């Protein structure tokens, strides 16, 4: 029997990048998967992932559009998932944005959208799925935060970094609140992974090299490594792990920052 046989999982922001890898790995372990996305341009990618998952892993999958920062859309998304796949057993709050704006140019709109997508979404989705999880006395909620939850990482984008610290602390608060119902709430904190989110930043070869050298493992992380950690936290092997921030970062957050870890060039990119 597979680790997550017949569980129902909802992965937010699963049309591409880390979320797509998470959806795939959960399905590989036997879970039926709902793939959330938000922008029309990602519909095709999400549909392709659904087809691929169904063909390869013999599970059910669905695609569901919603902006996870808007309550009405979140409620509608979860209604749809419940009707199609059943009650959500595993919620992965992966959707996130990291607008590259320096502090002095940061607009109120960017601040609000970042917090809406990276923090408020966790409140909205978790509260909605927790109702059924409490009744069932079973649930796993996994939030994708970042090394930025713990450190001021590069590039220095204060709205993003502080939103990830908030998401991490929210994870801990919910773990205390919901643990008594046999709901585990944990977070996974990736270091840099070369997805669309970092494309512009990593385009510069010297920045890419700096990222690699700053990491104790001397390499970037991969989408699959993050997905493997999510599978572990969603499995029964992790049933006593609650309120934990599992860093998948090659040891970056246990290392004292070195002066060469920050490049002036990178600042120029933002200013
Ligand atoms: P990505 O490639 O930019 O993908 C972002 C995903 O989030 C897309 O599926 C996007 O949907 C979705 N999304 C964005 N806003 C949304 C909203 N309001 N409602 C629903 N979905 C929304 O990003 P990624 O690198 O895979 O990042 C995934 C998570 O890992 C994020 O939380 C990020 O902060 C975290 N993380 C990433 C890195 C890294 O280096 N990549 C490092 C640490 C942490 P559409 O396709 O529809 O736009």
């Amino acid at each position: 029997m597979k680790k997550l046989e017949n569980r129902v999982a909802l992965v937010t922001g699963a049309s591409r990048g880390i979320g797509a890898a998470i959806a795939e790995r959960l399905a590989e372990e036997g879970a039926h998967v709902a793939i959330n996305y938000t922008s029309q341009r990602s519909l095709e990618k999400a549909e392709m992932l659904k087809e691929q998952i169904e063909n390869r892993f013999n599970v059910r999958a669905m695609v569901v559009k919603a902006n996870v920062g808007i309550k009405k859309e979140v409620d509608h998304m979860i209604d749809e998932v419940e009707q199609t796949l059943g009650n959500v057993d595993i919620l992965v709050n992966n959707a996130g944005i990291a607008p590259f704006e320096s502090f002095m140019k940061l607009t109120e709109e960017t601040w609000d959208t970042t917090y809406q997508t990276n923090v408020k979404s966790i409140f909205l989705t978790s509260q909605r799925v927790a109702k059924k999880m409490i009744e069932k006395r079973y649930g796993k909620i996994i939030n994708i935060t970042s090394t930025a939850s713990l450190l001021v990482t590069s590039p220095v984008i204060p709205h993003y970094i502080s939103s990830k610290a908030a998401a991490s602390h929210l994870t801990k608060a919910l773990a205390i609140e919901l643990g008594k119902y046999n709901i585990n709430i944990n977070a996974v904190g990736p270091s840099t992974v070369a997805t669309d989110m970092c494309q512009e930043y990593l385009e510069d070869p010297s920045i890419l090299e700096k990222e690699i050298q700053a990491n104790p493992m001397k390499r970037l992380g991969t989408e699959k490594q993050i997905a493997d950690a999510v599978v572990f936290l969603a499995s029964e092997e992790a049933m006593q792990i609650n309120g934990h921030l599992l860093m998948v970062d090659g040891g970056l957050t246990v290392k004292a920052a070195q002066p060469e870890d920050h490049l002036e060039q990178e600042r120029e990119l933002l200013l």
Side-chain angles (χ1 to χ4, degrees), residues 13 15-16 18 38-39 42 66-68 94 145 160 164 193 195 198:
S15 49
R16 51 201 168 97
I18 293 170
T38 193
S39 50
S42 291
N67 179 335
V68 290
N94 166 78
T145 61
Y160 176 75
K164 288 295 176 179
V193 178
T195 63
C198 304

Side-chain angles (χ1 to χ4, degrees), residues 92-128:
V92 185
N93 284 306
N94 166 78
I97 55 167
F100 279 25
E101 272 175 41
S102 64
F103 181 65
M104 293 309 291
K105 286 189 179 163
L106 181 62
T107 62
E108 185 181 4
E109 193 191 348
T110 299
W111 177 275
D112 287 344
T113 317
T114 305
Y115 269 71
Q116 188 182 21
T117 312
N118 297 358
V119 188
K120 187 181 174 189
S121 61
I122 297 176
F123 151 56
L124 294 175
T125 55
S126 304
Q127 190 188 53
R128 177 62 178 73

Side-chain angles (χ1 to χ4, degrees), residues 67 71 96 100 132 150 165 239 248:
N67 179 335
K71 182 171 167 34
F100 279 25
K132 297 275 167 58
L150 300 177
M239 71 181 292
V248 183

Side-chain angles (χ1 to χ4, degrees), residues 98-242:
F100 279 25
E101 272 175 41
S102 64
F103 181 65
M104 293 309 291
K105 286 189 179 163
L106 181 62
T107 62
E108 185 181 4
E109 193 191 348
T110 299
W111 177 275
D112 287 344
T113 317
T114 305
Y115 269 71
Q116 188 182 21
T117 312
N118 297 358
V119 188
K120 187 181 174 189
S121 61
I122 297 176
F123 151 56
L124 294 175
T125 55
S126 304
Q127 190 188 53
R128 177 62 178 73
V129 299
K131 286 177 192 160
K132 297 275 167 58
M133 287 179 174
I134 289 170
E135 280 172 28
K136 200 172 170 183
R137 293 291 193 273
Y138 182 89
K140 310 278 182 187
I141 299 176
I142 299 146
N143 301 323
I144 308 303
T145 61
S146 170
T147 48
S149 301
L150 300 177
L151 297 177
V152 177
T153 49
S154 299
V156 182
I157 31 179
H159 45 298
Y160 176 75
I161 288 171
S162 60
S163 76
K164 288 295 176 179
S168 176
H169 221 58
L170 181 56
T171 303
K172 295 178 191 178
L174 297 185
I176 303 305
E177 186 80 9
L178 299 175
K180 57 183 168 290
Y181 304 112
N182 192 34
I183 304 171
N184 302 66
I185 294 142
N186 291 292
V188 172
S191 53
T192 305
V193 178
T195 63
D196 294 347
M197 181 176 272
C198 304
Q199 196 191 357
E200 196 188 337
Y201 173 65
L202 295 176
E203 239 164 38
D204 183 328
S206 64
I207 289 184
L208 174 63
E209 187 55 23
K210 183 221 68 161
E211 281 285 334
I212 292 169
Q213 292 311 322
N215 192 293
M217 301 297 289
K218 306 297 175 202
R219 59 183 177 231
L220 297 185
T222 67
E223 291 91 331
K224 184 175 175 299
Q225 291 160 357
I226 311 307
D228 287 340
V230 169
V231 164
F232 168 64
L233 290 173
S235 75
E236 291 320 291
E237 288 159 6
M239 71 181 292
Q240 199 62 1
I241 299 177
N242 192 29

